[in-house]
Amino acid sequence: MFSVNRTVILALSCGLLLSACGGGKSGSAAHSGGAADAGRVLNLYIWSDYLAPTTLARFEKQWGIKVNAAYYDTNETLDAKLLAGSSGYDVVVPTASYFERQIKAGVYLPLDKSKLPNLKNMDPQLMAKVAFHDPGNAHGVIYLWGTNGIGYNEKMVKELLPDAPLDSWRMVFDPKVASKVAKCGISVLNSPAEMMRAVFSYLGKDPNSQKPEDLAQGEAVLLKIRPYIRSINSSEYIEALANGDLCVAVGYNGDVLQARDRAQDANKGIEIKYSIPKEGTILWFDMLAIPKDAPHPESAYAFINFVMTPEVIGEITNFKGYANANAGAQPLASVKNDPGIYPTPELLPKLSVQLADSADQTRAITRVWEKFKTGQ
């Protein structure tokens, strides 16, 4: 599945992504739910705004476990806490490329799958994809998956640039385009590794390239467009797009579609769209995993098993606009026919899995990114 140049071209069929193997009764881990045991706690560290409104309350009621939730908006923040040790968290949600490196560093507890009966609901072909990061799926379970692309307000963009290349990374990385669109606001993710892969795709290179010369070219692209970037963040762009404060944002598909829905609900004439750039982009998986020093591992198993209940993850997908890998939940997905969430077969060849960078590459990308953020 992986080519020698580290690029992974997906050949998932539409049937794989949208298939359903039927529901199933939710299983239990070490507790059957109901009244709370004294002091039962779960310390959850998860991406900001990444659950349905009822998820945690339902879990607390069913399992009698109090959830202490903390939030982050970059993989680098999570990575630093985990690698430092003694994070105090029971469940974390790393992106698979970071997860791969963290596994090698011995960060995670190997899963006792006997405590996760709802693993039977997971799509085996999608789990096989992340097994390239986590052999045998020994340390994690897919939470949600999606793509990176471009969110845009077509009306605002075309008022400035009628022939804007809305289906291309040129919208952001071509200075001739970005300089014109900048007047209505461009935002990019504060995610060095992901943004560098977008630049590599724009340049026609392997998105997982580790070559110093490719990174040097990527740095040159970023520095040329820096004057035209209004915002560098991984969460604020949702509201900014929905409110018309930005017209272009490099973002996660579910975030952009959430902005679209918020704009529609506000009924102020703002229409947000999402495109997968024709040059290609990355497909990512976010994982549920248990740090090896988790203070409440049994609570962690209960939560992961709860999230693998089709009704629970189905509600999260419908609310957040991100695809899940739970075959039993597919009949419950009201968004399953939205190509921005479940890419069509025609879009799939454009998607590459983000693999883990070497330690040297990570440091090099971080240096480039700091220069980009400061504009120096």
Side-chain angles (χ1 to χ4, degrees), residues 62-94:
Q62 179 175 331
W63 286 90
I65 296 173
K66 171 63 178 176
V67 179
N68 299 317
Y71 305 95
Y72 57 91
D73 64 2
T74 74
N75 270 296
E76 288 74 17
T77 299
L78 172 62
D79 195 54
K81 286 183 178 290
L82 291 174
L83 294 179
S86 302
S87 69
Y89 298 115
D90 299 305
V91 174
V92 295
V93 191

PDB file of all heavy atoms in Angstrom, residues 62-94:
ATOM      1  N   GLN A  62     -24.248   7.268  32.004  1.00  0.00           N
ATOM      2  CA  GLN A  62     -24.252   5.822  31.782  1.00  0.00           C
ATOM      3  C   GLN A  62     -23.234   5.101  32.651  1.00  0.00           C
ATOM      4  O   GLN A  62     -23.495   4.003  33.152  1.00  0.00           O
ATOM      5  CB  GLN A  62     -23.979   5.518  30.305  1.00  0.00           C
ATOM      6  CG  GLN A  62     -23.949   4.028  29.970  1.00  0.00           C
ATOM      7  CD  GLN A  62     -23.810   3.779  28.485  1.00  0.00           C
ATOM      8  OE1 GLN A  62     -24.240   4.591  27.664  1.00  0.00           O
ATOM      9  NE2 GLN A  62     -23.191   2.667  28.122  1.00  0.00           N
ATOM     10  N   TRP A  63     -22.074   5.717  32.827  1.00  0.00           N
ATOM     11  CA  TRP A  63     -20.981   5.017  33.493  1.00  0.00           C
ATOM     12  C   TRP A  63     -20.712   5.486  34.912  1.00  0.00           C
ATOM     13  O   TRP A  63     -19.939   4.847  35.640  1.00  0.00           O
ATOM     14  CB  TRP A  63     -19.701   5.158  32.662  1.00  0.00           C
ATOM     15  CG  TRP A  63     -19.747   4.287  31.447  1.00  0.00           C
ATOM     16  CD1 TRP A  63     -20.231   4.618  30.213  1.00  0.00           C
ATOM     17  CD2 TRP A  63     -19.336   2.929  31.359  1.00  0.00           C
ATOM     18  NE1 TRP A  63     -20.143   3.551  29.367  1.00  0.00           N
ATOM     19  CE2 TRP A  63     -19.585   2.491  30.039  1.00  0.00           C
ATOM     20  CE3 TRP A  63     -18.773   2.038  32.271  1.00  0.00           C
ATOM     21  CZ2 TRP A  63     -19.305   1.203  29.611  1.00  0.00           C
ATOM     22  CZ3 TRP A  63     -18.475   0.750  31.842  1.00  0.00           C
ATOM     23  CH2 TRP A  63     -18.747   0.344  30.526  1.00  0.00           C
ATOM     24  N   GLY A  64     -21.296   6.585  35.314  1.00  0.00           N
ATOM     25  CA  GLY A  64     -21.028   7.082  36.656  1.00  0.00           C
ATOM     26  C   GLY A  64     -19.598   7.536  36.843  1.00  0.00           C
ATOM     27  O   GLY A  64     -19.033   7.414  37.930  1.00  0.00           O
ATOM     28  N   ILE A  65     -19.006   8.035  35.784  1.00  0.00           N
ATOM     29  CA  ILE A  65     -17.617   8.491  35.814  1.00  0.00           C
ATOM     30  C   ILE A  65     -17.597   9.984  35.508  1.00  0.00           C
ATOM     31  O   ILE A  65     -18.145  10.429  34.495  1.00  0.00           O
ATOM     32  CB  ILE A  65     -16.761   7.729  34.787  1.00  0.00           C
ATOM     33  CG1 ILE A  65     -16.683   6.237  35.149  1.00  0.00           C
ATOM     34  CG2 ILE A  65     -15.358   8.326  34.693  1.00  0.00           C
ATOM     35  CD1 ILE A  65     -15.993   5.389  34.096  1.00  0.00           C
ATOM     36  N   LYS A  66     -16.977  10.757  36.363  1.00  0.00           N
ATOM     37  CA  LYS A  66     -16.862  12.196  36.168  1.00  0.00           C
ATOM     38  C   LYS A  66     -15.760  12.493  35.165  1.00  0.00           C
ATOM     39  O   LYS A  66     -14.621  12.026  35.304  1.00  0.00           O
ATOM     40  CB  LYS A  66     -16.541  12.885  37.498  1.00  0.00           C
ATOM     41  CG  LYS A  66     -16.192  14.355  37.391  1.00  0.00           C
ATOM     42  CD  LYS A  66     -17.363  15.180  36.857  1.00  0.00           C
ATOM     43  CE  LYS A  66     -16.996  16.666  36.818  1.00  0.00           C
ATOM     44  NZ  LYS A  66     -18.091  17.462  36.207  1.00  0.00           N
ATOM     45  N   VAL A  67     -16.059  13.283  34.138  1.00  0.00           N
ATOM     46  CA  VAL A  67     -15.077  13.635  33.116  1.00  0.00           C
ATOM     47  C   VAL A  67     -14.498  15.019  33.385  1.00  0.00           C
ATOM     48  O   VAL A  67     -15.235  15.998  33.522  1.00  0.00           O
ATOM     49  CB  VAL A  67     -15.697  13.613  31.705  1.00  0.00           C
ATOM     50  CG1 VAL A  67     -14.648  14.007  30.669  1.00  0.00           C
ATOM     51  CG2 VAL A  67     -16.271  12.241  31.392  1.00  0.00           C
ATOM     52  N   ASN A  68     -13.190  15.066  33.465  1.00  0.00           N
ATOM     53  CA  ASN A  68     -12.465  16.334  33.490  1.00  0.00           C
ATOM     54  C   ASN A  68     -11.848  16.509  32.112  1.00  0.00           C
ATOM     55  O   ASN A  68     -10.894  15.814  31.767  1.00  0.00           O
ATOM     56  CB  ASN A  68     -11.372  16.316  34.551  1.00  0.00           C
ATOM     57  CG  ASN A  68     -11.917  16.114  35.952  1.00  0.00           C
ATOM     58  OD1 ASN A  68     -12.924  16.720  36.323  1.00  0.00           O
ATOM     59  ND2 ASN A  68     -11.270  15.268  36.745  1.00  0.00           N
ATOM     60  N   ALA A  69     -12.392  17.419  31.308  1.00  0.00           N
ATOM     61  CA  ALA A  69     -11.941  17.592  29.925  1.00  0.00           C
ATOM     62  C   ALA A  69     -11.066  18.833  29.805  1.00  0.00           C
ATOM     63  O   ALA A  69     -11.393  19.898  30.338  1.00  0.00           O
ATOM     64  CB  ALA A  69     -13.127  17.691  28.980  1.00  0.00           C
ATOM     65  N   ALA A  70      -9.950  18.669  29.125  1.00  0.00           N
ATOM     66  CA  ALA A  70      -9.070  19.788  28.765  1.00  0.00           C
ATOM     67  C   ALA A  70      -8.881  19.758  27.257  1.00  0.00           C
ATOM     68  O   ALA A  70      -9.043  18.713  26.625  1.00  0.00           O
ATOM     69  CB  ALA A  70      -7.733  19.674  29.491  1.00  0.00           C
ATOM     70  N   TYR A  71      -8.529  20.902  26.679  1.00  0.00           N
ATOM     71  CA  TYR A  71      -8.564  21.025  25.223  1.00  0.00           C
ATOM     72  C   TYR A  71      -7.275  21.625  24.672  1.00  0.00           C
ATOM     73  O   TYR A  71      -6.620  22.439  25.309  1.00  0.00           O
ATOM     74  CB  TYR A  71      -9.755  21.891  24.811  1.00  0.00           C
ATOM     75  CG  TYR A  71     -11.063  21.372  25.351  1.00  0.00           C
ATOM     76  CD1 TYR A  71     -11.580  21.872  26.547  1.00  0.00           C
ATOM     77  CD2 TYR A  71     -11.753  20.354  24.692  1.00  0.00           C
ATOM     78  CE1 TYR A  71     -12.774  21.371  27.058  1.00  0.00           C
ATOM     79  CE2 TYR A  71     -12.944  19.850  25.206  1.00  0.00           C
ATOM     80  CZ  TYR A  71     -13.447  20.359  26.387  1.00  0.00           C
ATOM     81  OH  TYR A  71     -14.610  19.854  26.910  1.00  0.00           O
ATOM     82  N   TYR A  72      -6.922  21.209  23.453  1.00  0.00           N
ATOM     83  CA  TYR A  72      -5.771  21.744  22.739  1.00  0.00           C
ATOM     84  C   TYR A  72      -6.161  21.970  21.293  1.00  0.00           C
ATOM     85  O   TYR A  72      -7.187  21.466  20.830  1.00  0.00           O
ATOM     86  CB  TYR A  72      -4.568  20.784  22.829  1.00  0.00           C
ATOM     87  CG  TYR A  72      -4.826  19.385  22.308  1.00  0.00           C
ATOM     88  CD1 TYR A  72      -4.582  19.051  20.982  1.00  0.00           C
ATOM     89  CD2 TYR A  72      -5.308  18.385  23.150  1.00  0.00           C
ATOM     90  CE1 TYR A  72      -4.821  17.770  20.508  1.00  0.00           C
ATOM     91  CE2 TYR A  72      -5.540  17.097  22.690  1.00  0.00           C
ATOM     92  CZ  TYR A  72      -5.294  16.795  21.365  1.00  0.00           C
ATOM     93  OH  TYR A  72      -5.531  15.522  20.893  1.00  0.00           O
ATOM     94  N   ASP A  73      -5.352  22.732  20.552  1.00  0.00           N
ATOM     95  CA  ASP A  73      -5.679  22.968  19.141  1.00  0.00           C
ATOM     96  C   ASP A  73      -4.498  22.767  18.209  1.00  0.00           C
ATOM     97  O   ASP A  73      -4.561  23.144  17.041  1.00  0.00           O
ATOM     98  CB  ASP A  73      -6.310  24.351  18.921  1.00  0.00           C
ATOM     99  CG  ASP A  73      -5.366  25.494  19.243  1.00  0.00           C
ATOM    100  OD1 ASP A  73      -4.200  25.230  19.601  1.00  0.00           O
ATOM    101  OD2 ASP A  73      -5.794  26.655  19.130  1.00  0.00           O
ATOM    102  N   THR A  74      -3.422  22.146  18.696  1.00  0.00           N
ATOM    103  CA  THR A  74      -2.330  21.725  17.812  1.00  0.00           C
ATOM    104  C   THR A  74      -1.780  20.390  18.294  1.00  0.00           C
ATOM    105  O   THR A  74      -1.756  20.114  19.504  1.00  0.00           O
ATOM    106  CB  THR A  74      -1.159  22.741  17.765  1.00  0.00           C
ATOM    107  OG1 THR A  74      -0.414  22.673  18.983  1.00  0.00           O
ATOM    108  CG2 THR A  74      -1.656  24.151  17.529  1.00  0.00           C
ATOM    109  N   ASN A  75      -1.326  19.566  17.349  1.00  0.00           N
ATOM    110  CA  ASN A  75      -0.687  18.310  17.706  1.00  0.00           C
ATOM    111  C   ASN A  75       0.603  18.552  18.479  1.00  0.00           C
ATOM    112  O   ASN A  75       0.990  17.736  19.331  1.00  0.00           O
ATOM    113  CB  ASN A  75      -0.370  17.509  16.440  1.00  0.00           C
ATOM    114  CG  ASN A  75      -1.517  16.593  16.036  1.00  0.00           C
ATOM    115  OD1 ASN A  75      -1.866  15.669  16.757  1.00  0.00           O
ATOM    116  ND2 ASN A  75      -2.095  16.858  14.877  1.00  0.00           N
ATOM    117  N   GLU A  76       1.268  19.650  18.195  1.00  0.00           N
ATOM    118  CA  GLU A  76       2.522  19.936  18.868  1.00  0.00           C
ATOM    119  C   GLU A  76       2.324  20.141  20.370  1.00  0.00           C
ATOM    120  O   GLU A  76       3.169  19.744  21.183  1.00  0.00           O
ATOM    121  CB  GLU A  76       3.188  21.174  18.241  1.00  0.00           C
ATOM    122  CG  GLU A  76       3.775  20.940  16.861  1.00  0.00           C
ATOM    123  CD  GLU A  76       2.728  20.824  15.746  1.00  0.00           C
ATOM    124  OE1 GLU A  76       1.566  21.237  15.967  1.00  0.00           O
ATOM    125  OE2 GLU A  76       3.074  20.315  14.671  1.00  0.00           O
ATOM    126  N   THR A  77       1.194  20.744  20.749  1.00  0.00           N
ATOM    127  CA  THR A  77       0.897  20.941  22.168  1.00  0.00           C
ATOM    128  C   THR A  77       0.729  19.606  22.879  1.00  0.00           C
ATOM    129  O   THR A  77       1.299  19.366  23.951  1.00  0.00           O
ATOM    130  CB  THR A  77      -0.384  21.784  22.324  1.00  0.00           C
ATOM    131  OG1 THR A  77      -0.195  23.060  21.724  1.00  0.00           O
ATOM    132  CG2 THR A  77      -0.734  21.975  23.796  1.00  0.00           C
ATOM    133  N   LEU A  78      -0.053  18.723  22.270  1.00  0.00           N
ATOM    134  CA  LEU A  78      -0.242  17.385  22.843  1.00  0.00           C
ATOM    135  C   LEU A  78       1.081  16.631  22.883  1.00  0.00           C
ATOM    136  O   LEU A  78       1.415  15.989  23.890  1.00  0.00           O
ATOM    137  CB  LEU A  78      -1.266  16.608  22.019  1.00  0.00           C
ATOM    138  CG  LEU A  78      -1.434  15.126  22.377  1.00  0.00           C
ATOM    139  CD1 LEU A  78      -1.929  14.964  23.813  1.00  0.00           C
ATOM    140  CD2 LEU A  78      -2.394  14.444  21.400  1.00  0.00           C
ATOM    141  N   ASP A  79       1.837  16.693  21.807  1.00  0.00           N
ATOM    142  CA  ASP A  79       3.102  15.970  21.704  1.00  0.00           C
ATOM    143  C   ASP A  79       4.045  16.362  22.846  1.00  0.00           C
ATOM    144  O   ASP A  79       4.662  15.503  23.493  1.00  0.00           O
ATOM    145  CB  ASP A  79       3.737  16.276  20.348  1.00  0.00           C
ATOM    146  CG  ASP A  79       4.861  15.326  19.982  1.00  0.00           C
ATOM    147  OD1 ASP A  79       4.642  14.108  20.000  1.00  0.00           O
ATOM    148  OD2 ASP A  79       5.962  15.801  19.667  1.00  0.00           O
ATOM    149  N   ALA A  80       4.148  17.647  23.111  1.00  0.00           N
ATOM    150  CA  ALA A  80       5.050  18.122  24.151  1.00  0.00           C
ATOM    151  C   ALA A  80       4.650  17.593  25.518  1.00  0.00           C
ATOM    152  O   ALA A  80       5.496  17.175  26.319  1.00  0.00           O
ATOM    153  CB  ALA A  80       5.086  19.646  24.156  1.00  0.00           C
ATOM    154  N   LYS A  81       3.360  17.590  25.809  1.00  0.00           N
ATOM    155  CA  LYS A  81       2.891  17.104  27.108  1.00  0.00           C
ATOM    156  C   LYS A  81       3.141  15.608  27.267  1.00  0.00           C
ATOM    157  O   LYS A  81       3.564  15.144  28.333  1.00  0.00           O
ATOM    158  CB  LYS A  81       1.402  17.412  27.278  1.00  0.00           C
ATOM    159  CG  LYS A  81       1.084  18.875  27.546  1.00  0.00           C
ATOM    160  CD  LYS A  81      -0.395  19.075  27.784  1.00  0.00           C
ATOM    161  CE  LYS A  81      -0.714  20.538  28.111  1.00  0.00           C
ATOM    162  NZ  LYS A  81      -0.207  20.937  29.444  1.00  0.00           N
ATOM    163  N   LEU A  82       2.890  14.839  26.216  1.00  0.00           N
ATOM    164  CA  LEU A  82       3.059  13.395  26.309  1.00  0.00           C
ATOM    165  C   LEU A  82       4.522  13.009  26.434  1.00  0.00           C
ATOM    166  O   LEU A  82       4.884  12.136  27.230  1.00  0.00           O
ATOM    167  CB  LEU A  82       2.442  12.718  25.083  1.00  0.00           C
ATOM    168  CG  LEU A  82       0.910  12.766  24.981  1.00  0.00           C
ATOM    169  CD1 LEU A  82       0.457  12.184  23.656  1.00  0.00           C
ATOM    170  CD2 LEU A  82       0.256  12.014  26.133  1.00  0.00           C
ATOM    171  N   LEU A  83       5.385  13.645  25.663  1.00  0.00           N
ATOM    172  CA  LEU A  83       6.793  13.291  25.678  1.00  0.00           C
ATOM    173  C   LEU A  83       7.476  13.740  26.972  1.00  0.00           C
ATOM    174  O   LEU A  83       8.493  13.174  27.374  1.00  0.00           O
ATOM    175  CB  LEU A  83       7.504  13.872  24.467  1.00  0.00           C
ATOM    176  CG  LEU A  83       7.048  13.295  23.112  1.00  0.00           C
ATOM    177  CD1 LEU A  83       7.792  13.967  21.967  1.00  0.00           C
ATOM    178  CD2 LEU A  83       7.235  11.783  23.054  1.00  0.00           C
ATOM    179  N   ALA A  84       6.897  14.732  27.633  1.00  0.00           N
ATOM    180  CA  ALA A  84       7.439  15.170  28.915  1.00  0.00           C
ATOM    181  C   ALA A  84       7.131  14.174  30.022  1.00  0.00           C
ATOM    182  O   ALA A  84       7.821  14.122  31.037  1.00  0.00           O
ATOM    183  CB  ALA A  84       6.890  16.548  29.282  1.00  0.00           C
ATOM    184  N   GLY A  85       6.086  13.363  29.841  1.00  0.00           N
ATOM    185  CA  GLY A  85       5.716  12.347  30.820  1.00  0.00           C
ATOM    186  C   GLY A  85       4.831  12.891  31.924  1.00  0.00           C
ATOM    187  O   GLY A  85       4.737  14.103  32.143  1.00  0.00           O
ATOM    188  N   SER A  86       4.153  11.981  32.626  1.00  0.00           N
ATOM    189  CA  SER A  86       3.291  12.329  33.757  1.00  0.00           C
ATOM    190  C   SER A  86       2.270  13.400  33.377  1.00  0.00           C
ATOM    191  O   SER A  86       2.081  14.386  34.099  1.00  0.00           O
ATOM    192  CB  SER A  86       4.133  12.802  34.953  1.00  0.00           C
ATOM    193  OG  SER A  86       5.055  11.805  35.347  1.00  0.00           O
ATOM    194  N   SER A  87       1.615  13.210  32.232  1.00  0.00           N
ATOM    195  CA  SER A  87       0.644  14.206  31.763  1.00  0.00           C
ATOM    196  C   SER A  87      -0.605  14.249  32.638  1.00  0.00           C
ATOM    197  O   SER A  87      -1.278  15.271  32.710  1.00  0.00           O
ATOM    198  CB  SER A  87       0.248  13.907  30.318  1.00  0.00           C
ATOM    199  OG  SER A  87      -0.527  12.707  30.252  1.00  0.00           O
ATOM    200  N   GLY A  88      -0.929  13.128  33.268  1.00  0.00           N
ATOM    201  CA  GLY A  88      -2.132  13.072  34.089  1.00  0.00           C
ATOM    202  C   GLY A  88      -3.395  12.754  33.319  1.00  0.00           C
ATOM    203  O   GLY A  88      -4.480  12.677  33.901  1.00  0.00           O
ATOM    204  N   TYR A  89      -3.271  12.525  32.005  1.00  0.00           N
ATOM    205  CA  TYR A  89      -4.451  12.257  31.185  1.00  0.00           C
ATOM    206  C   TYR A  89      -4.695  10.756  31.032  1.00  0.00           C
ATOM    207  O   TYR A  89      -3.769   9.954  31.018  1.00  0.00           O
ATOM    208  CB  TYR A  89      -4.306  12.904  29.810  1.00  0.00           C
ATOM    209  CG  TYR A  89      -4.196  14.409  29.898  1.00  0.00           C
ATOM    210  CD1 TYR A  89      -3.030  15.064  29.506  1.00  0.00           C
ATOM    211  CD2 TYR A  89      -5.253  15.174  30.385  1.00  0.00           C
ATOM    212  CE1 TYR A  89      -2.919  16.443  29.608  1.00  0.00           C
ATOM    213  CE2 TYR A  89      -5.147  16.551  30.484  1.00  0.00           C
ATOM    214  CZ  TYR A  89      -3.986  17.180  30.096  1.00  0.00           C
ATOM    215  OH  TYR A  89      -3.881  18.539  30.212  1.00  0.00           O
ATOM    216  N   ASP A  90      -5.970  10.405  30.898  1.00  0.00           N
ATOM    217  CA  ASP A  90      -6.372   9.009  30.724  1.00  0.00           C
ATOM    218  C   ASP A  90      -6.643   8.657  29.271  1.00  0.00           C
ATOM    219  O   ASP A  90      -6.385   7.538  28.843  1.00  0.00           O
ATOM    220  CB  ASP A  90      -7.629   8.722  31.558  1.00  0.00           C
ATOM    221  CG  ASP A  90      -7.403   8.948  33.031  1.00  0.00           C
ATOM    222  OD1 ASP A  90      -6.466   8.337  33.580  1.00  0.00           O
ATOM    223  OD2 ASP A  90      -8.147   9.749  33.641  1.00  0.00           O
ATOM    224  N   VAL A  91      -7.195   9.603  28.511  1.00  0.00           N
ATOM    225  CA  VAL A  91      -7.447   9.414  27.084  1.00  0.00           C
ATOM    226  C   VAL A  91      -7.001  10.661  26.345  1.00  0.00           C
ATOM    227  O   VAL A  91      -7.311  11.785  26.765  1.00  0.00           O
ATOM    228  CB  VAL A  91      -8.939   9.140  26.786  1.00  0.00           C
ATOM    229  CG1 VAL A  91      -9.193   9.092  25.274  1.00  0.00           C
ATOM    230  CG2 VAL A  91      -9.394   7.831  27.418  1.00  0.00           C
ATOM    231  N   VAL A  92      -6.265  10.467  25.259  1.00  0.00           N
ATOM    232  CA  VAL A  92      -5.836  11.568  24.400  1.00  0.00           C
ATOM    233  C   VAL A  92      -6.203  11.222  22.963  1.00  0.00           C
ATOM    234  O   VAL A  92      -6.527  10.079  22.648  1.00  0.00           O
ATOM    235  CB  VAL A  92      -4.328  11.836  24.525  1.00  0.00           C
ATOM    236  CG1 VAL A  92      -3.983  12.325  25.924  1.00  0.00           C
ATOM    237  CG2 VAL A  92      -3.514  10.580  24.193  1.00  0.00           C
ATOM    238  N   VAL A  93      -6.143  12.242  22.082  1.00  0.00           N
ATOM    239  CA  VAL A  93      -6.647  12.062  20.714  1.00  0.00           C
ATOM    240  C   VAL A  93      -5.616  12.574  19.699  1.00  0.00           C
ATOM    241  O   VAL A  93      -5.819  13.606  19.050  1.00  0.00           O
ATOM    242  CB  VAL A  93      -8.007  12.774  20.538  1.00  0.00           C
ATOM    243  CG1 VAL A  93      -8.663  12.367  19.221  1.00  0.00           C
ATOM    244  CG2 VAL A  93      -8.946  12.461  21.695  1.00  0.00           C
ATOM    245  N   PRO A  94      -4.494  11.875  19.551  1.00  0.00           N
ATOM    246  CA  PRO A  94      -3.453  12.325  18.618  1.00  0.00           C
ATOM    247  C   PRO A  94      -3.800  12.016  17.168  1.00  0.00           C
ATOM    248  O   PRO A  94      -4.506  11.049  16.867  1.00  0.00           O
ATOM    249  CB  PRO A  94      -2.233  11.495  19.054  1.00  0.00           C
ATOM    250  CG  PRO A  94      -2.846  10.215  19.536  1.00  0.00           C
ATOM    251  CD  PRO A  94      -4.122  10.623  20.232  1.00  0.00           C
TER     252      PRO A  94
END
